[in-house]
Amino acid sequence: MHKPEPEDIETVVRLLSDQSRSNFQARYAECETVVARHLKDGSEFLFQLIKAAVEADVHRITLIEDAVSFLDDTHLGKLAFFLQGRSKRGTDVEELLSHAVLQAPELFLDSALADNPDFADWLTDDDPRSPPACHHFVFEEGAPSDMSFPTHRNHPTWHLPAAGRPFTVGGEGMGACPGCGKRLVHLVTLDDFGAQIAAPFPRLRIETCQGSLEPTYYSHDTNGMPTPIAPFHSADDFTSEPVTKESTVRLAPTPPRWLRQSWLTSNSRQNLFRLGGLPSWVQGPQFPLVPRTNRKMKFLLQFDSFAGFFWGSGGMLYVFWDEESRITCHVPQYT
């Protein structure tokens, strides 16, 4: 039988307030166990826990920040009001505010959004208050096995309701990279899901060189098959084993709450495998131009460093598309 909720909250706050170095991992693990019991249907508990952590000044920790994602809309609204009040009184709740602003910007004034670096980045190309439609790639296995924390494995974006037929991401590509000679990696074949989404997407087989630290370009024939084109990346860029793991995924329409996902805020927590929408920039906006033109390419999709994929030192890969030239550009960003 679970402890009463007030006692659970007191336990977590007490353990987080203990500043001694001894047994820190054991104390944190106990906190995770308590919080994990309330992730599915404990919005009221998590809201009260966040408030108590702020009042005890133990809120600047991943476990408390992650709890924001599991609040229902009503409690998210209450938290936004509470955090803005505490911020006005000088309490440092910047990280918690960042989570709330991304998930419910309609609850905040424009001045609050202006302080968020992700909104500033998105405004270079789109209006983050009314972002374009997006779909998540939802893995059949749930969250990838390389995620360890309960608040990460159970994050709502890994478990969005998906529909349509399954298709494959990952695995070996058909071509080789002219820059390093290695086999390309298959990301996804867009034709696999055709009519599952309302927005028209081109018929493309997307393959990339996982070893590139630079933008790479691919020309696609009328059947969508890719051919690497210049400029090629340096052969000395990066040494990595090609992705051989294949994963089964389905598409899920992205709910309004998750249309804006920050790489910094979401990193290693949320599902950032997305088709369309706003890019989750690691290093800020980087829209490539079609080679030998001044025409900016259109953002198509992004893949994170999970499920066997790994970009640079563990960042993101963004794929851009130009209909007129039938060229994709693959841009890695990392820290």
Short mmCIF file of all heavy atoms in Angstrom, two decimals, residues 134-140 142 144 157-160 162 167-169 187-190 192-193 197 201 206 247-254 261 271-276 300-304:
data_model
loop_
_atom_site.label_atom_id
_atom_site.label_comp_id
_atom_site.label_asym_id
_atom_site.label_seq_id
_atom_site.Cartn_x
_atom_site.Cartn_y
_atom_site.Cartn_z
N CYS A 134 2.58 18.93 -36.87
CA CYS A 134 3.74 18.07 -36.65
C CYS A 134 3.24 16.67 -36.33
O CYS A 134 2.11 16.48 -35.88
CB CYS A 134 4.56 18.65 -35.49
SG CYS A 134 5.96 17.65 -34.95
N HIS A 135 4.08 15.68 -36.60
CA HIS A 135 3.83 14.31 -36.18
C HIS A 135 5.06 13.78 -35.45
O HIS A 135 6.18 14.14 -35.79
CB HIS A 135 3.53 13.40 -37.37
CG HIS A 135 2.17 13.60 -37.96
ND1 HIS A 135 1.84 14.72 -38.71
CD2 HIS A 135 1.05 12.83 -37.91
CE1 HIS A 135 0.57 14.62 -39.10
NE2 HIS A 135 0.08 13.49 -38.62
N HIS A 136 4.83 12.93 -34.47
CA HIS A 136 5.92 12.24 -33.80
C HIS A 136 6.06 10.82 -34.35
O HIS A 136 5.06 10.16 -34.66
CB HIS A 136 5.66 12.15 -32.28
CG HIS A 136 6.11 13.35 -31.51
ND1 HIS A 136 5.41 14.53 -31.50
CD2 HIS A 136 7.21 13.54 -30.73
CE1 HIS A 136 6.05 15.41 -30.73
NE2 HIS A 136 7.15 14.84 -30.26
N PHE A 137 7.29 10.37 -34.44
CA PHE A 137 7.55 8.96 -34.69
C PHE A 137 7.47 8.25 -33.34
O PHE A 137 8.30 8.51 -32.45
CB PHE A 137 8.93 8.75 -35.30
CG PHE A 137 9.11 9.37 -36.66
CD1 PHE A 137 9.79 10.57 -36.81
CD2 PHE A 137 8.60 8.75 -37.79
CE1 PHE A 137 9.96 11.14 -38.06
CE2 PHE A 137 8.78 9.31 -39.06
CZ PHE A 137 9.45 10.51 -39.19
N VAL A 138 6.49 7.38 -33.17
CA VAL A 138 6.30 6.68 -31.90
C VAL A 138 6.82 5.25 -32.06
O VAL A 138 6.34 4.50 -32.92
CB VAL A 138 4.82 6.68 -31.48
CG1 VAL A 138 4.62 5.86 -30.21
CG2 VAL A 138 4.35 8.12 -31.26
N PHE A 139 7.78 4.88 -31.24
CA PHE A 139 8.41 3.58 -31.34
C PHE A 139 7.50 2.50 -30.76
O PHE A 139 6.91 2.68 -29.68
CB PHE A 139 9.75 3.58 -30.61
CG PHE A 139 10.81 4.40 -31.29
CD1 PHE A 139 10.79 5.79 -31.23
CD2 PHE A 139 11.81 3.78 -32.03
CE1 PHE A 139 11.75 6.56 -31.87
CE2 PHE A 139 12.78 4.54 -32.68
CZ PHE A 139 12.75 5.92 -32.61
N GLU A 140 7.41 1.41 -31.46
CA GLU A 140 6.55 0.31 -31.04
C GLU A 140 6.97 -0.22 -29.66
O GLU A 140 6.14 -0.66 -28.87
CB GLU A 140 6.60 -0.82 -32.07
CG GLU A 140 5.51 -1.84 -31.92
CD GLU A 140 5.46 -2.79 -33.11
OE1 GLU A 140 6.38 -3.62 -33.23
OE2 GLU A 140 4.52 -2.68 -33.92
N GLY A 142 8.03 1.55 -27.26
CA GLY A 142 7.94 2.62 -26.27
C GLY A 142 9.21 3.43 -26.28
O GLY A 142 9.86 3.59 -27.31
N PRO A 144 13.05 4.29 -26.04
CA PRO A 144 14.23 3.46 -26.32
C PRO A 144 14.83 2.89 -25.04
O PRO A 144 14.76 3.49 -23.97
CB PRO A 144 15.19 4.44 -27.00
CG PRO A 144 14.30 5.47 -27.60
CD PRO A 144 13.15 5.61 -26.65
N THR A 157 5.42 12.01 -24.58
CA THR A 157 5.73 12.05 -26.02
C THR A 157 6.24 10.72 -26.55
O THR A 157 6.26 10.51 -27.77
CB THR A 157 6.76 13.15 -26.33
OG1 THR A 157 7.90 12.99 -25.46
CG2 THR A 157 6.15 14.53 -26.12
N TRP A 158 6.66 9.82 -25.68
CA TRP A 158 7.04 8.48 -26.14
C TRP A 158 5.84 7.56 -26.29
O TRP A 158 5.96 6.45 -26.81
CB TRP A 158 8.04 7.83 -25.17
CG TRP A 158 9.37 8.50 -25.11
CD1 TRP A 158 9.88 9.23 -24.08
CD2 TRP A 158 10.38 8.51 -26.14
NE1 TRP A 158 11.15 9.69 -24.39
CE2 TRP A 158 11.48 9.27 -25.65
CE3 TRP A 158 10.47 7.95 -27.42
CZ2 TRP A 158 12.64 9.47 -26.39
CZ3 TRP A 158 11.62 8.16 -28.16
CH2 TRP A 158 12.69 8.91 -27.65
N HIS A 159 4.69 8.01 -25.79
CA HIS A 159 3.52 7.13 -25.73
C HIS A 159 2.28 7.80 -26.32
O HIS A 159 1.15 7.51 -25.89
CB HIS A 159 3.26 6.71 -24.28
CG HIS A 159 4.46 6.10 -23.62
ND1 HIS A 159 4.84 4.80 -23.83
CD2 HIS A 159 5.40 6.64 -22.79
CE1 HIS A 159 5.94 4.54 -23.14
NE2 HIS A 159 6.31 5.63 -22.51
N LEU A 160 2.47 8.67 -27.29
CA LEU A 160 1.33 9.33 -27.94
C LEU A 160 0.50 8.31 -28.71
O LEU A 160 1.04 7.34 -29.26
CB LEU A 160 1.83 10.42 -28.90
CG LEU A 160 2.57 11.59 -28.26
CD1 LEU A 160 3.17 12.49 -29.34
CD2 LEU A 160 1.63 12.40 -27.37
N ALA A 162 -0.84 6.46 -31.53
CA ALA A 162 -0.40 6.37 -32.92
C ALA A 162 -1.38 5.53 -33.72
O ALA A 162 -2.06 4.64 -33.19
CB ALA A 162 1.00 5.75 -32.98
N PHE A 167 6.02 1.17 -39.84
CA PHE A 167 7.10 1.23 -40.82
C PHE A 167 8.42 1.26 -40.09
O PHE A 167 8.46 1.31 -38.85
CB PHE A 167 6.93 2.41 -41.78
CG PHE A 167 6.81 3.75 -41.11
CD1 PHE A 167 7.92 4.56 -40.94
CD2 PHE A 167 5.58 4.21 -40.65
CE1 PHE A 167 7.81 5.79 -40.33
CE2 PHE A 167 5.47 5.45 -40.04
CZ PHE A 167 6.59 6.24 -39.87
N THR A 168 9.51 1.21 -40.83
CA THR A 168 10.83 1.01 -40.25
C THR A 168 11.68 2.26 -40.33
O THR A 168 11.71 2.94 -41.35
CB THR A 168 11.55 -0.15 -40.98
OG1 THR A 168 10.78 -1.34 -40.84
CG2 THR A 168 12.94 -0.38 -40.41
N VAL A 169 12.39 2.55 -39.23
CA VAL A 169 13.46 3.55 -39.25
C VAL A 169 14.75 2.83 -38.88
O VAL A 169 14.75 1.83 -38.17
CB VAL A 169 13.20 4.72 -38.28
CG1 VAL A 169 11.93 5.47 -38.66
CG2 VAL A 169 13.11 4.24 -36.83
N LEU A 187 17.35 6.40 -42.69
CA LEU A 187 16.55 7.06 -41.66
C LEU A 187 15.10 6.63 -41.75
O LEU A 187 14.55 6.00 -40.85
CB LEU A 187 16.65 8.58 -41.80
CG LEU A 187 18.00 9.24 -41.53
CD1 LEU A 187 17.87 10.74 -41.61
CD2 LEU A 187 18.55 8.82 -40.17
N VAL A 188 14.46 6.97 -42.87
CA VAL A 188 13.05 6.65 -43.03
C VAL A 188 12.71 6.79 -44.51
O VAL A 188 13.36 7.54 -45.24
CB VAL A 188 12.17 7.61 -42.18
CG1 VAL A 188 12.32 9.05 -42.62
CG2 VAL A 188 10.70 7.19 -42.18
N THR A 189 11.72 6.05 -44.95
CA THR A 189 11.20 6.20 -46.31
C THR A 189 9.81 6.81 -46.20
O THR A 189 8.89 6.19 -45.66
CB THR A 189 11.13 4.83 -47.02
OG1 THR A 189 12.46 4.29 -47.08
CG2 THR A 189 10.59 4.99 -48.44
N LEU A 190 9.68 8.04 -46.68
CA LEU A 190 8.44 8.78 -46.45
C LEU A 190 7.25 8.15 -47.14
O LEU A 190 6.12 8.28 -46.69
CB LEU A 190 8.61 10.24 -46.91
CG LEU A 190 9.68 11.05 -46.19
CD1 LEU A 190 9.55 12.54 -46.56
CD2 LEU A 190 9.57 10.90 -44.68
N ASP A 192 6.41 5.27 -47.07
CA ASP A 192 5.89 4.18 -46.24
C ASP A 192 4.57 4.53 -45.56
O ASP A 192 3.79 3.65 -45.23
CB ASP A 192 6.90 3.79 -45.15
CG ASP A 192 8.07 2.98 -45.71
OD1 ASP A 192 7.98 2.56 -46.88
OD2 ASP A 192 9.06 2.80 -44.99
N PHE A 193 4.32 5.81 -45.31
CA PHE A 193 3.11 6.14 -44.57
C PHE A 193 2.12 6.96 -45.38
O PHE A 193 1.05 7.27 -44.90
CB PHE A 193 3.43 6.86 -43.25
CG PHE A 193 4.44 7.97 -43.35
CD1 PHE A 193 4.08 9.21 -43.84
CD2 PHE A 193 5.74 7.76 -42.92
CE1 PHE A 193 5.01 10.23 -43.92
CE2 PHE A 193 6.67 8.78 -43.00
CZ PHE A 193 6.31 10.01 -43.50
N ILE A 197 -1.14 10.85 -43.14
CA ILE A 197 -1.11 12.24 -42.70
C ILE A 197 -1.75 13.12 -43.75
O ILE A 197 -1.69 12.84 -44.95
CB ILE A 197 0.33 12.70 -42.40
CG1 ILE A 197 1.24 12.45 -43.60
CG2 ILE A 197 0.88 11.99 -41.19
CD1 ILE A 197 2.65 12.90 -43.39
N PHE A 201 3.61 15.09 -48.24
CA PHE A 201 5.05 14.95 -48.12
C PHE A 201 5.57 14.25 -49.37
O PHE A 201 4.89 13.39 -49.94
CB PHE A 201 5.43 14.16 -46.87
CG PHE A 201 5.38 14.97 -45.61
CD1 PHE A 201 4.21 15.06 -44.88
CD2 PHE A 201 6.50 15.65 -45.16
CE1 PHE A 201 4.16 15.82 -43.72
CE2 PHE A 201 6.46 16.41 -44.00
CZ PHE A 201 5.29 16.49 -43.28
N ILE A 206 15.20 8.43 -47.35
CA ILE A 206 16.21 9.31 -46.76
C ILE A 206 17.31 8.46 -46.14
O ILE A 206 17.07 7.68 -45.20
CB ILE A 206 15.58 10.26 -45.72
CG1 ILE A 206 14.51 11.10 -46.39
CG2 ILE A 206 16.64 11.14 -45.09
CD1 ILE A 206 13.78 12.04 -45.47
N SER A 247 14.10 -0.15 -36.15
CA SER A 247 13.03 0.01 -35.17
C SER A 247 11.71 0.17 -35.91
O SER A 247 11.65 0.79 -36.98
CB SER A 247 13.27 1.23 -34.28
OG SER A 247 14.45 1.09 -33.53
N THR A 248 10.67 -0.38 -35.33
CA THR A 248 9.33 -0.23 -35.89
C THR A 248 8.64 0.96 -35.23
O THR A 248 8.62 1.07 -34.00
CB THR A 248 8.51 -1.51 -35.65
OG1 THR A 248 9.17 -2.62 -36.26
CG2 THR A 248 7.12 -1.37 -36.25
N VAL A 249 8.11 1.85 -36.05
CA VAL A 249 7.47 3.05 -35.54
C VAL A 249 6.12 3.26 -36.23
O VAL A 249 5.83 2.65 -37.27
CB VAL A 249 8.35 4.31 -35.76
CG1 VAL A 249 9.68 4.18 -35.04
CG2 VAL A 249 8.59 4.56 -37.24
N ARG A 250 5.32 4.09 -35.63
CA ARG A 250 4.08 4.58 -36.25
C ARG A 250 4.05 6.10 -36.08
O ARG A 250 4.77 6.65 -35.26
CB ARG A 250 2.84 3.95 -35.59
CG ARG A 250 2.74 2.44 -35.74
CD ARG A 250 1.55 1.88 -34.96
NE ARG A 250 1.54 0.44 -34.91
CZ ARG A 250 0.90 -0.35 -35.78
NH1 ARG A 250 0.18 0.20 -36.76
NH2 ARG A 250 0.95 -1.66 -35.65
N LEU A 251 3.19 6.74 -36.84
CA LEU A 251 3.05 8.18 -36.74
C LEU A 251 1.93 8.55 -35.78
O LEU A 251 0.87 7.92 -35.76
CB LEU A 251 2.76 8.80 -38.10
CG LEU A 251 3.94 8.98 -39.05
CD1 LEU A 251 3.46 9.57 -40.37
CD2 LEU A 251 5.01 9.87 -38.43
N ALA A 252 2.18 9.59 -34.98
CA ALA A 252 1.16 10.12 -34.06
C ALA A 252 1.04 11.62 -34.28
O ALA A 252 2.05 12.33 -34.26
CB ALA A 252 1.53 9.83 -32.62
N PRO A 253 -0.17 12.14 -34.51
CA PRO A 253 -0.33 13.60 -34.58
C PRO A 253 0.12 14.23 -33.27
O PRO A 253 -0.23 13.76 -32.19
CB PRO A 253 -1.84 13.78 -34.80
CG PRO A 253 -2.33 12.46 -35.29
CD PRO A 253 -1.44 11.42 -34.67
N THR A 254 0.90 15.27 -33.36
CA THR A 254 1.44 15.91 -32.16
C THR A 254 0.38 16.80 -31.51
O THR A 254 -0.15 17.70 -32.15
CB THR A 254 2.67 16.77 -32.52
OG1 THR A 254 3.64 15.93 -33.15
CG2 THR A 254 3.28 17.41 -31.28
N GLN A 261 9.11 21.91 -28.73
CA GLN A 261 10.02 21.11 -27.89
C GLN A 261 11.43 21.67 -28.01
O GLN A 261 11.99 21.76 -29.11
CB GLN A 261 9.99 19.64 -28.30
CG GLN A 261 8.70 18.92 -27.89
CD GLN A 261 8.71 17.46 -28.28
OE1 GLN A 261 8.43 17.13 -29.42
NE2 GLN A 261 9.03 16.59 -27.33
N ASN A 271 10.58 12.68 -26.45
CA ASN A 271 10.72 12.14 -27.80
C ASN A 271 10.86 13.29 -28.79
O ASN A 271 9.92 14.06 -29.00
CB ASN A 271 9.48 11.30 -28.13
CG ASN A 271 9.53 10.72 -29.53
OD1 ASN A 271 10.50 10.89 -30.27
ND2 ASN A 271 8.47 10.03 -29.92
N LEU A 272 12.04 13.41 -29.39
CA LEU A 272 12.29 14.48 -30.36
C LEU A 272 12.38 13.95 -31.79
O LEU A 272 12.86 14.65 -32.68
CB LEU A 272 13.59 15.23 -30.01
CG LEU A 272 13.60 15.95 -28.66
CD1 LEU A 272 14.91 16.69 -28.46
CD2 LEU A 272 12.43 16.92 -28.54
N PHE A 273 11.91 12.73 -32.02
CA PHE A 273 11.83 12.19 -33.38
C PHE A 273 10.54 12.73 -34.00
O PHE A 273 9.45 12.28 -33.67
CB PHE A 273 11.82 10.66 -33.36
CG PHE A 273 13.14 10.05 -32.96
CD1 PHE A 273 13.49 9.91 -31.63
CD2 PHE A 273 14.03 9.60 -33.93
CE1 PHE A 273 14.70 9.33 -31.26
CE2 PHE A 273 15.25 9.03 -33.58
CZ PHE A 273 15.59 8.90 -32.25
N ARG A 274 10.69 13.73 -34.88
CA ARG A 274 9.53 14.47 -35.34
C ARG A 274 9.54 14.65 -36.86
O ARG A 274 10.60 14.79 -37.48
CB ARG A 274 9.49 15.86 -34.69
CG ARG A 274 9.25 15.85 -33.19
CD ARG A 274 9.67 17.14 -32.52
NE ARG A 274 9.08 18.33 -33.12
CZ ARG A 274 8.15 19.10 -32.55
NH1 ARG A 274 7.72 18.79 -31.34
NH2 ARG A 274 7.68 20.17 -33.14
N LEU A 275 8.33 14.67 -37.43
CA LEU A 275 8.14 14.94 -38.85
C LEU A 275 7.40 16.27 -38.98
O LEU A 275 6.26 16.40 -38.52
CB LEU A 275 7.33 13.81 -39.49
CG LEU A 275 6.93 13.99 -40.96
CD1 LEU A 275 8.15 13.87 -41.87
CD2 LEU A 275 5.87 12.95 -41.36
N GLY A 276 8.06 17.27 -39.58
CA GLY A 276 7.45 18.58 -39.70
C GLY A 276 7.51 19.37 -38.40
O GLY A 276 8.18 18.99 -37.44
N LEU A 300 12.10 19.44 -42.82
CA LEU A 300 11.30 18.25 -43.10
C LEU A 300 11.12 17.37 -41.87
O LEU A 300 10.00 17.00 -41.51
CB LEU A 300 11.96 17.45 -44.23
CG LEU A 300 11.21 16.23 -44.75
CD1 LEU A 300 9.86 16.63 -45.33
CD2 LEU A 300 12.05 15.51 -45.82
N LEU A 301 12.23 17.02 -41.20
CA LEU A 301 12.14 16.12 -40.04
C LEU A 301 13.42 16.21 -39.21
O LEU A 301 14.42 16.80 -39.64
CB LEU A 301 11.88 14.68 -40.47
CG LEU A 301 12.89 14.01 -41.41
CD1 LEU A 301 14.04 13.37 -40.65
CD2 LEU A 301 12.20 12.95 -42.26
N GLN A 302 13.38 15.61 -38.02
CA GLN A 302 14.56 15.57 -37.16
C GLN A 302 14.63 14.23 -36.43
O GLN A 302 13.60 13.62 -36.11
CB GLN A 302 14.55 16.71 -36.15
CG GLN A 302 13.41 16.65 -35.14
CD GLN A 302 13.39 17.85 -34.21
OE1 GLN A 302 13.78 18.96 -34.56
NE2 GLN A 302 12.92 17.63 -32.98
N PHE A 303 15.86 13.77 -36.19
CA PHE A 303 16.11 12.53 -35.44
C PHE A 303 17.06 12.86 -34.29
O PHE A 303 18.06 13.55 -34.47
CB PHE A 303 16.74 11.47 -36.34
CG PHE A 303 15.75 10.59 -37.07
CD1 PHE A 303 14.62 11.14 -37.66
CD2 PHE A 303 15.95 9.23 -37.17
CE1 PHE A 303 13.70 10.34 -38.33
CE2 PHE A 303 15.06 8.42 -37.84
CZ PHE A 303 13.93 8.96 -38.42
N ASP A 304 16.78 12.29 -33.13
CA ASP A 304 17.59 12.48 -31.94
C ASP A 304 18.65 11.38 -31.84
O ASP A 304 18.66 10.43 -32.64
CB ASP A 304 16.68 12.46 -30.70
CG ASP A 304 17.29 13.14 -29.49
OD1 ASP A 304 18.46 13.55 -29.55
OD2 ASP A 304 16.59 13.23 -28.46
#
